[in-house]
């Protein structure tokens, strides 16, 4: 039974008349029949080869409309554990569910299914459209709704995505763009991807989307930590992008709100933060990922990168990029291109064979991903 099935049953049972024994919290009864996610994860881990284990740490891009048989076979051969539907699709819920079903069956390993992700923010960044999908307003328009209304709408949007078989949304955006010149912010403000112009407004609406979509049945990802609202450029298109956010800045508050609301994923940005760690982009910074996100914010979930196909980090050799990312504290490395991932996997396998400390890090990361999959109902048995 998945955690969402448990949640739905709990709602039904809460309003029913029951005996004192039957009225105990539902999770007590579920534990009698289903192992907790950590136990499921360990069992799956022990049944996998080292290459299969390492593959769980990567997410590759694949066509959202017509994934080729060759692409699926290649991803399966390299044990890639998760995919993101790349590009816009107007297939609707039914058509998308067909695509996702093919991917899930093609990439499954002994009942272990992939995270299938999308970017469903709203406005210009709504990848899935067509029959059954609502036309989502921009985040800026969503921010004009009350958090209560937005949570209700996010619940509907989450149900739609989940109905299509997609189990991970790389949204909401928790970046705050100042009001003075929002359109001058290349990655966020230019496209109205921010919920508002102050951290307090953004925080309330981030939390609303997290709660709504999670209740709707899809895992969500708060991004782009620790913020791109004042970035000097778009990391997709430019190298050496910086943002002035500091470690204890108010601009971090929306990410804390998303974590507190229960977001199971946080995406770390590819920009550099001179007031936090001037020597490393956030994705390679232990200060950003481990000290800030894990320790300061108390985040226990999965840390996923922005796509390493972005120009901000494309000059870093794939093998080096993978090692630095996982050493800094990352959990899943996303690259919308497949070929670099294959080299990254080999680098991780080689490094863990020669460095016991790194091997322990990778083991913990794989178990973290498998636990997240178990919690999302993607691990059979």
């Amino acid at each position: 039974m998945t955690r969402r099935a448990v949640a739905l049953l709990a709602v039904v049972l809460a309003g029913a008349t029951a005996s004192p024994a039957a009225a105990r919290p539902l999770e007590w009864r579920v534990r009698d029949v289903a192992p907790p996610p950590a136990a499921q994860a360990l069992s799956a881990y022990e049944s996998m080869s080292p290459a299969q284990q390492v593959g769980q740490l990567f997410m590759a891009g694949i066509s959202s409309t017509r994934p080729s048989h060759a692409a699926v076979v290649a991803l399966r051969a390299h044990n890639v554990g998760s995919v993101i539907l790349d590009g816009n699709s107007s297939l609707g819920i039914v058509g998308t569910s067909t695509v996702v079903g093919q991917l899930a069956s093609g990439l499954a390993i002994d009942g272990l299914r992939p995270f299938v992700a999308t970017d469903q923010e709203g406005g210009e960044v709504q990848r899935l459209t067509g029959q059954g999908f609502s036309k989502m307003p921009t985040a800026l328009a969503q921010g004009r709704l009350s958090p209560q209304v937005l949570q209700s709408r996010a619940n509907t949007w989450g149900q739609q995505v989940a109905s299509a078989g997609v189990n991970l949304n790389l949204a909401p955006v928790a970046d705050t763009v100042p009001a003075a010149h929002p359109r001058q912010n290349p990655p966020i403000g230019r496209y109205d991807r921010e919920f508002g112009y102050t951290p307090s407004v953004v925080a309330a609406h981030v939390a609303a989307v997290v709660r709504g979509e999670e209740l709707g049945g899809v895992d969500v990802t708060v991004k782009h930590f620790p913020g791109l609202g004042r970035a000097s450029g778009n990391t997709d298109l430019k190298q050496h992008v910086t943002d002035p956010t500091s470690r204890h800045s108010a601009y971090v508050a929306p990410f804390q709100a998303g974590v507190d609301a229960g977001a199971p994923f946080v995406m770390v940005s590819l920009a550099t933060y001179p007031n936090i760690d001037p020597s490393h982009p956030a994705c390679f910074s232990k200060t950003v990922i481990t000290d800030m996100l894990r320790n300061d914010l108390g985040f226990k979930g999965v840390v996923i990168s922005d796509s390493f196909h972005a120009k901000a980090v494309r000059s870093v050799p794939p093998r080096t990029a993978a090692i630095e990312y996982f050493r800094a504290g990352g959990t899943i490395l996303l690259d919308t291109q497949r070929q670099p991932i294959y080299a990254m996997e080999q680098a991780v396998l080689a490094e863990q064979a020669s460095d016991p400390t790194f091997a322990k890090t990778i083991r913990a990361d794989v178990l973290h991903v498998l636990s997240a999959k178990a919690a999302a109902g993607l691990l059979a048995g």
Side-chain angles (χ1 to χ4, degrees), residues 150-152 154-156 158 207-217:
L150 180 57
Q151 180 170 325
S152 176
N155 179 267
T156 298
V209 171
V210 169
R211 294 190 183 103
E213 293 202 5
E214 283 284 324
L215 287 170

Side-chain angles (χ1 to χ4, degrees), residues 14-15 118 143 150 161 227 232 244 249 254 256 273 281 327 339 351:
T118 190
L150 180 57
V161 170
S232 62
S249 167
Q256 183 72 73
Y273 297 81
R327 286 196 187 281
Q339 290 297 329
E351 189 72 10

Side-chain angles (χ1 to χ4, degrees), residues 230-298:
R230 295 174 291 167
S232 62
N234 188 332
T235 55
D236 288 342
L237 308 173
K238 184 179 177 182
Q239 291 182 310
H240 312 301
V241 173
T242 62
D243 185 284
T245 297
S246 59
R247 181 165 177 174
H248 300 292
S249 167
Y251 286 87
V252 178
F255 295 95
Q256 183 72 73
V259 169
D260 292 345
F265 283 70
V266 170
M267 177 181 286
V268 64
S269 95
L270 309 181
T272 299
Y273 297 81
N275 293 321
I276 300 173
D277 183 351
S279 302
H280 304 93
C283 57
F284 301 141
S285 172
K286 186 176 180 180
T287 301
V288 170
I289 299 176
T290 301
D291 296 343
M292 284 185 67
L293 182 55
R294 293 292 191 199
N295 296 336
D296 292 354
L297 271 64

